[in-house]
Amino acid sequence: MTNSFDIRVETLGKPAESLVASPVAAPETLLRHSNVARGTFFLETFGCQMNEHDSEKVAGLLLARGYQQVESPEAAGLILYNTCSIREKAAQKVFSRLGEYRGLKGEGKKIGLLGCVAQQEGEDIFSRAPWVSLVCGSASYRRLPELLARVEAGEQRVTGLDNDTDETFETEMTRRDNPWRAYLTIIEGCDKSCAYCVVPFTRGPERSRDSSRILAELHQLADFGYSEVQFLGQTVNSYADPSSRKMRFSELLLQAAQVPGIRRVRFTTSHPRDFTPDIISVMDANSKICNHVHLPVQSGSSRVLRAMQRTYSREEYLEKIAMIRSAKRRTAITTDVIVGFPGETAADFDETLSLLDAVKFDGVFSFKYSPRPNTLASTMLDAIPEEERSFRLGLLQERQRVIQSETLQSLVGEVYEVHVDGKSKKENSWYGHSSCNRVVSLTSSAPDLLGQYVKARVTACTANSLLGEQIFIS
Ligand code: SAM
Ligand code: SF4
């Protein structure tokens, strides 16, 4: 469903022409590596923010090695797809894209598949799409320089599929897409075992980055002019500092908020089980930590949550919501829901609807259950028929639409600080995000607001967004 919140769960990546070169390493690093002129590459990304940021790191790694990024597969010597397999549709999209480029190998182009589909399908991809030369999962990205060298040397079937690692993907340079808002991965992989989810199979075990490396990267980002950072992880709040410092997640947020030049610190996705009161305390203590929590619930029925192996009940989830709502700052809460999990009865589904009524989420990303390879749920009986899954999804989305529209109406008259990151086609029209991650469109007579933080009063709303005007506070 469309949303006034900006958490893209499954989208195609941005076209290359909209990207902004923003290395996180000093330019000398780039020069040191780029004394060898190499080829051109095109990189397309499918999937979540983690994938988008992985692609930014892969692009940085290639640029630092002397490759040039181009805007189309036609212009590229090396074509890379960073893929998503969270639902079947996402994986199919990858294969249909690959099919479009079946003839390119004959033209001397090299094609590589990265990410979750690569990890999941492994060497089978070579039989299904023999025009592919490289298959590499995210847990093996640190080996990419060596793997790419083998591809360039003419090897036909190069793989990086080792998933059992305790290492994280560190790059000297990251080629970020947005000049103001930077993603920063703090924890990779996942150690939870939700019955429906491929992530533990495709991204490997949970491994956190050293807190000092994270903070050093953040200082560097601030030096390059970034003012907003988004910490990323499949379960970002399960962060466990591997260094002797043993910094807690909440302390990391606080330290990040104190980096000079950083005005906003976000984090996603939080797992309900690991969402502890100290996180709320630091959000209250420092307004640079954004007042938005994305806390996927998946189902409102404790019975289904148990079958999903989510490790919390409906009541425990509601306790976490009460804790967030008890904060001094009004904090926006968004969630993910899966409908039609095997064995979900009409009564279970009603509990999910009643949870929406009880919590009144500010945004809901809802999905029909999709059976995935290797998962426990894929072997479960009592599959819910496709039409029923679609029917439930429609009901849920309609219920949330009504809730959201009431919430948006209630926000008319509020004043938000908006970090402007886009200009509309309409004259004097801009859009950006509030600290609570609402998308706000605003009018202003100022000549250029891009990258700026401005105050805006909400004057109206549409079904999904807030409309406002810039106000000047002396
Ligand atoms: N780590 C996050 C968490 O614990 O909730 C979720 C990460 S996953 C990339 C994003 C969302 O995709 C999940 O929250 C879930 O709602 C949805 N999802 C995952 N597997 C799915 C499946 N097999 N079918 C439908 N939706 C799924
Ligand atoms: Fe998947 Fe569960 Fe891990 Fe989230 S916590 S990535 S849903 S296994």
Side-chain angles (χ1 to χ4, degrees), residues 23 27 36 98 102 132 159 210 212 236 248 318 370 387 415 467:
V36 188
L98 262 189
R102 110 186 1 243
V132 170
T159 56
D210 199 310
S212 56
V236 72
R248 294 193 74 169
L318 287 172
S370 166
E387 312 85 78
V415 172
L467 309 174

Side-chain angles (χ1 to χ4, degrees), residues 258-331:
Q258 281 157 10
V259 171
I262 294 298
R263 289 183 61 156
R264 285 186 179 175
V265 180
R266 303 187 177 282
F267 53 97
T268 199
T269 294
S270 295
H271 191 282
R273 198 192 65 188
D274 300 335
F275 205 88
T276 44
D278 54 313
I279 302 174
I280 290 299
S281 302
V282 295
M283 287 168 79
D284 267 342
N286 193 318
S287 61
K288 288 184 181 175
I289 304 173
C290 291
N291 53 340
H292 169 221
V293 178
H294 185 61
L295 199 69
V297 64
Q298 313 299 359
S299 168
S301 150
S302 291
R303 203 187 65 80
V304 173
L305 287 171
R306 222 172 13 256
M308 286 177 164
Q309 303 194 153
R310 282 294 284 180
T311 69
Y312 53 83
S313 63
R314 174 192 175 98
E315 291 68 33
E316 284 162 338
Y317 183 84
L318 287 172
E319 279 167 22
K320 302 284 178 180
I321 297 293
M323 179 179 81
I324 299 169
R325 293 260 155 88
S326 72
K328 291 193 206 98
R329 291 167 75 201
R330 187 159 103 186
T331 298

Side-chain angles (χ1 to χ4, degrees), residues 128-412:
R128 204 163 160 185
W131 52 96
V132 170
S133 315
L134 169 70
V135 173
C136 179
S138 65
S140 300
Y141 285 164
R142 65 197 183 287
R143 289 183 53 214
L144 266 179
E146 166 226 324
L147 302 177
L148 284 169
R150 285 166 51 197
V151 170
E152 294 291 7
E155 239 185 273
Q156 297 293 317
R157 293 178 165 205
V158 177
T159 56
L161 295 170
D162 183 9
N163 213 6
D164 186 18
T165 178
D166 55 5
E167 289 183 53
T168 50
F169 181 32
E170 305 292 331
T171 51
E172 278 187 77
M173 186 174 135
T174 297
R175 166 37 176 107
R176 287 189 158 82
D177 292 356
N178 183 308
W180 306 288
R181 172 140 82 151
Y183 291 139
L184 209 165
T185 299
I186 65 164
I187 172 169
E188 295 178 14
C190 183
D191 274 353
K192 308 274 191 289
S193 33
C194 302
Y196 50 81
C197 187
V198 284
V199 169
F201 305 99
T202 58
R203 286 189 165 271
E206 191 177 288
R207 51 220 188 266
S208 295
R209 291 177 69 201
D210 199 310
S211 56
S212 56
R213 289 188 97 136
I214 295 169
L215 291 170
E217 190 171 342
L218 190 52
H219 276 277
Q220 225 177 6
L221 283 168
D223 289 346
F224 276 105
Y226 288 91
S227 59
E228 184 169 329
V229 66
Q230 179 156 5
F231 284 163
L232 294 180
Q234 291 296 341
T235 54
V236 72
N237 56 328
S238 311
Y239 176 77
D241 185 3
S243 75
S244 56
R245 180 72 184 71
K246 297 271 172 265
M247 198 180 279
R248 294 193 74 169
F249 174 64
S250 55
E251 200 188 333
L252 182 66
L253 290 177
L254 208 49
Q255 295 273 335
Q258 281 157 10
V259 171
I262 294 298
R263 289 183 61 156
R264 285 186 179 175
V265 180
R266 303 187 177 282
F267 53 97
T268 199
T269 294
S270 295
H271 191 282
R273 198 192 65 188
D274 300 335
F275 205 88
T276 44
D278 54 313
I279 302 174
I280 290 299
S281 302
V282 295
M283 287 168 79
D284 267 342
N286 193 318
S287 61
K288 288 184 181 175
I289 304 173
C290 291
N291 53 340
H292 169 221
V293 178
H294 185 61
L295 199 69
V297 64
Q298 313 299 359
S299 168
S301 150
S302 291
R303 203 187 65 80
V304 173
L305 287 171
R306 222 172 13 256
M308 286 177 164
Q309 303 194 153
R310 282 294 284 180
T311 69
Y312 53 83
S313 63
R314 174 192 175 98
E315 291 68 33
E316 284 162 338
Y317 183 84
L318 287 172
E319 279 167 22
K320 302 284 178 180
I321 297 293
M323 179 179 81
I324 299 169
R325 293 260 155 88
S326 72
K328 291 193 206 98
R329 291 167 75 201
R330 187 159 103 186
T331 298
I333 307 174
T334 52
T335 200
D336 294 346
V337 173
I338 297 176
V339 299
F341 186 77
E344 182 190 71
T345 61
D348 290 322
F349 177 64
D350 277 347
E351 289 201 64
T352 300
L353 293 180
S354 78
L355 186 98
L356 296 195
D357 291 337
V359 178
K360 297 200 189 307
F361 290 105
D362 296 275
V364 174
F365 296 85
S366 46
F367 311 100
K368 280 188 274 186
Y369 166 71
S370 166
R372 305 309 295 130
N374 306 317
T375 60
L376 180 65
S378 66
T379 62
M380 288 179 180
L381 304 173
D382 295 334
I384 307 297
E386 165 64 25
E387 312 85 78
E388 182 60 23
R389 278 183 271 165
S390 298
F391 177 67
R392 291 182 189 178
L393 186 70
L395 280 184
L396 181 129
Q397 293 186 338
E398 179 51 24
R399 181 74 65 103
Q400 178 59 19
R401 192 192 62 71
V402 173
I403 293 170
Q404 241 167 266
S405 131
E406 282 170 14
T407 309
L408 290 174
Q409 280 292 343
S410 75
L411 297 174
V412 173

